[in-house]
Amino acid sequence: MQGHDTHAGKRRAALTVWGVCVTLLLGPALLVWIVRGVALGAQCAPGPELCRGMMLGGGLHDTLSLAWIVGTNAFFLIGLSLVATLAAFVAHRPLLGTLSMLLLPILAPVLPMFAVYISKYDGCPVSNDGIGSCTLWGAQMGMSFHTAASIPDMIYGIADFSFALAVVLGILGWFFARPRPKAPTQSAILAMRRFDE
């Protein structure tokens, strides 16, 4: 019984580590979408004027800057995704681990990029060269918008490595981390013996 409690505690700890990694990777992107969701809820079209008296542009700028710290660092993306994958394997969740390696390094930069592209408007440029300025809902976006233009190139750079690593780890996880069948209890063994007789 004590061994079962230790094993369950180990799984809970592994899932906690997985949750922390996912929060670090996707949390900033979700903050960007919360700000963007407030603007959608207030029915504010993208433009330089305030959104119903709120300067949502400042919040979007700050959350995008935070999201780009995570989303533009390929080493950080792959490293944390690998930790999340291994934690899921320790918790005997091979599918969760494989999906973590496959999706997390892609979603972390792509979610803020989509938020930028649905927020731009005519006269609000987004370019790799960082040329031009954009004022959105009362705040200058600066490089927080222009960084979105470099994300597709970065994704192409890490996608092959991420997919290959996900396939290899997924195969290993299936063989070594899948849930093991529970050992039969003493009462089940006695019932099988009676059935044989």
Side-chain angles (χ1 to χ4, degrees):
M1 189 68 170
Q2 186 176 359
H4 178 71
D5 291 343
T6 304
H7 192 63
K10 188 172 147 182
R11 281 186 174 188
R12 277 194 300 274
L15 288 175
T16 301
V17 170
W18 179 84
V20 168
C21 291
V22 171
T23 301
L24 288 172
L25 286 170
L26 297 183
L30 293 178
L31 289 175
V32 170
W33 276 97
I34 288 172
V35 174
R36 188 61 183 96
V38 169
L40 286 171
Q43 297 179 344
C44 296
E49 61 279 348
L50 296 177
C51 174
R52 301 203 183 271
M54 299 179 286
M55 197 169 101
L56 285 181
L60 188 62
H61 176 272
D62 294 342
T63 54
L64 278 170
S65 297
L66 178 62
W68 296 139
I69 290 171
V70 173
T72 57
N73 187 336
F75 179 76
F76 188 74
L77 290 172
I78 297 292
L80 266 185
S81 298
L82 183 61
V83 171
T85 298
L86 296 176
F89 287 169
V90 169
H92 295 288
R93 305 276 172 88
L95 181 61
L96 181 64
T98 303
L99 289 175
S100 298
M101 192 70 237
L102 190 64
L103 297 177
L104 290 177
I106 306 300
L107 288 177
V110 166
L111 288 175
M113 181 191 76
F114 282 146
V116 167
Y117 280 109
I118 67 166
S119 299
K120 70 178 192 163
Y121 58 92
D122 288 339
C124 176
V126 175
S127 73
N128 271 328
D129 300 324
I131 297 170
S133 64
C134 177
T135 302
L136 180 67
W137 297 317
Q140 285 285 331
M141 292 293 106
M143 286 306 292
S144 67
F145 258 38
H146 293 307
T147 303
S150 66
I151 295 302
D153 293 334
M154 192 196 82
I155 295 297
Y156 290 134
I158 67 170
D160 293 343
F161 182 72
S162 175
F163 290 161
L165 201 53
V167 169
V168 170
L169 289 174
I171 291 169
L172 292 174
W174 175 255
F175 286 112
F176 297 110
R178 66 181 175 192
R180 291 174 179 80
K182 293 181 181 177
T185 61
Q186 192 65 24
S187 59
I189 292 171
L190 290 174
M192 284 190 279
R193 285 182 185 164
R194 286 187 196 132
F195 183 74
D196 287 340
E197 294 171 358

